[in-house]
Amino acid sequence: MPLTDDQQQEIEAARAAEGRTRRPVAPGLEALLFQAVPVLDHGFVRVIDYMGDDAAVVQAARVSYGRGTRAANEDRGLIRYLMRHRHSTPFEMCEIKFHVKLPIFIARQWIRHRTANVNEYSARYSILDREFYIPAPDQLAAQSTANRQGRGEVLAGEEAARVLDLLRGDAMQTYDHYAWMLNEDAEGQPADPTRQGLARELARMNLTLNTYTQWYWKTNLHNLLHFLSLRADAHAQYEIRAYAEPMLEMVRAWVPACHEAFMDYRMGAATLSAGMLSVVRRLLAGEPVAQPGSGLSKREWRELMEMLGRPV
């Protein structure tokens, strides 16, 4: 389970506490505060805190003195204009902080987005839980022959069973060795008084990358949307996409007008190169265009035809 009973009680206590504030709040996100959304087999993502809302983006763009100075439809139109023309600073006025529990190998992929403040659970000071990510059978896929970063056909039969056994067995064995090297019981006392035990900062190096870690991840709305445009995309690795998708729903609850514009101008949009745009213009003019005479590489041509919904 992603949360223990004690952790769930702690969350419920935090959700039950209320405080008065003069700052703007987003009712949709207030309803989600602290709730842990399960992800994968032992992970979760939850919102800890936030600053700003749709009106904060508008206020920053206009540098106005208060809120509600324009009609809601004008505010929506301005947000859509800002998103459409790739303005960034107004969206940086909103911030959000997540608590995420995730496998280490996904954390190492996630941390490549160097646009957030991160504080990760430290295995130098604490002992990691005996929890590992074991993929569901439908996520066990071979290496794609067309994409070096992607997956191909799903494994089946004895090979799939063997892979699951290896993943589970290796993780359990290395954790058993980790626990032996630490030589600590539940109270932090030596499990075997005849041994000293290895330092936590050294014992951790033996763990597998599917071991779960946790962190607090704080970022602004502009950088969060960039993260989601890559990680909630259908081409993203499944495991990180599993976190990005509920985070995208949290954005909808927090800043619905920004979310709407983002879905229209980022997630649901396509970027054309100058060469691609030239081909589209030629096609609209009724000119028959084929890949050899298009000026596009075979891959660019295939991508353009996919965007236009045409057979390759």
Side-chain angles (χ1 to χ4, degrees):
M1 294 294 292
L3 295 171
T4 65
D5 290 340
D6 288 344
Q7 290 169 333
Q8 189 61 51
Q9 289 175 10
E10 183 180 350
I11 290 173
E12 293 302 325
R15 283 179 54 78
E18 293 187 4
R20 297 181 61 184
T21 180
R22 287 193 175 95
R23 69 177 180 85
V25 296
L29 194 57
E30 287 286 317
L32 298 179
L33 275 180
F34 303 111
Q35 289 191 42
V37 177
V39 182
L40 303 180
D41 48 359
H42 298 291
F44 62 75
V45 59
R46 63 186 185 127
V47 178
I48 300 299
D49 200 2
Y50 71 97
M51 180 184 75
D53 58 2
D54 280 328
V57 175
V58 171
Q59 183 186 35
R62 294 182 176 137
V63 197
S64 64
Y65 292 97
R67 292 164 52 81
T69 56
R70 301 291 175 92
N73 64 325
E74 292 183 27
D75 288 352
R76 175 179 175 272
L78 176 57
I79 287 173
R80 294 179 67 82
Y81 173 88
L82 295 171
M83 186 72 70
R84 187 165 64 250
H85 291 278
R86 296 187 176 274
H87 289 266
S88 58
T89 307
F91 299 103
E92 293 173 358
M93 299 299 144
C94 295
E95 295 209 348
I96 191 166
K97 180 165 61 178
F98 295 98
H99 177 195
V100 188
K101 182 178 180 182
L102 68 172
I104 291 173
F105 75 99
I106 294 301
R108 299 302 163 256
Q109 183 182 62
W110 191 316
I111 204 68
R112 290 181 60 81
H113 296 267
R114 301 179 296 275
T115 52
N117 304 111
V118 185
N119 196 60
E120 187 174 358
Y121 184 95
S122 175
R124 291 188 67 195
Y125 303 107
S126 303
I127 298 175
L128 289 165
D129 293 331
R130 187 189 287 268
E131 290 183 321
F132 325 102
Y133 169 61
I134 305 299
D138 61 357
Q139 294 302 327
L140 292 177
Q143 177 65 43
S144 170
T145 57
N147 181 357
R148 293 182 181 180
Q149 292 183 313
R151 303 178 186 182
E153 295 182 1
V154 175
L155 302 181
E158 292 184 5
E159 184 178 10
R162 176 62 172 158
V163 168
L164 287 173
D165 287 343
L166 287 172
L167 289 172
R168 189 176 294 107
D170 288 352
M172 293 294 289
Q173 182 183 58
T174 56
Y175 193 93
D176 287 342
H177 292 168
Y178 168 69
W180 186 91
M181 288 187 286
L182 288 172
N183 194 34
E184 293 187 38
D185 62 19
E187 285 71 42
Q189 299 302 313
D192 180 354
T194 66
R195 292 193 293 113
Q196 282 187 292
L198 189 66
R200 294 174 182 177
E201 67 178 23
L202 291 171
R204 62 180 174 168
M205 66 182 172
N206 196 50
L207 293 169
T208 51
L209 291 178
N210 62 341
T211 305
Y212 272 87
T213 185
Q214 300 184 42
W215 62 29
Y216 272 37
W217 193 75
K218 181 174 73 70
T219 190
N220 64 51
L221 178 59
H222 168 67
N223 288 319
L224 174 60
L225 293 179
H226 177 68
F227 170 85
L228 294 174
S229 70
L230 296 173
R231 302 308 184 180
D233 184 85
H235 298 92
Q237 181 174 343
Y238 162 74
E239 285 80 9
I240 199 167
R241 193 170 75 246
Y243 286 90
E245 288 172 349
M247 291 169 72
L248 188 56
E249 289 304 306
M250 292 169 182
V251 171
R252 185 206 298 267
W254 176 27
V255 282
C258 292
H259 175 272
E260 177 193 46
F262 173 68
M263 296 304 292
D264 283 346
Y265 299 123
R266 294 291 187 277
M267 298 300 288
T271 300
L272 300 181
S273 67
M276 289 177 170
L277 185 58
S278 174
V279 169
V280 171
R281 286 172 173 159
R282 290 166 64 186
L283 290 171
L284 289 174
E287 179 183 344
V289 185
Q291 186 273 322
S294 67
L296 303 179
S297 68
K298 291 181 179 180
R299 185 167 184 174
E300 286 179 299
W301 177 263
R302 184 174 66 252
E303 290 174 357
L304 178 60
M305 292 302 103
E306 288 174 355
M307 290 179 196
L308 299 178
R310 293 190 169 202
V312 179

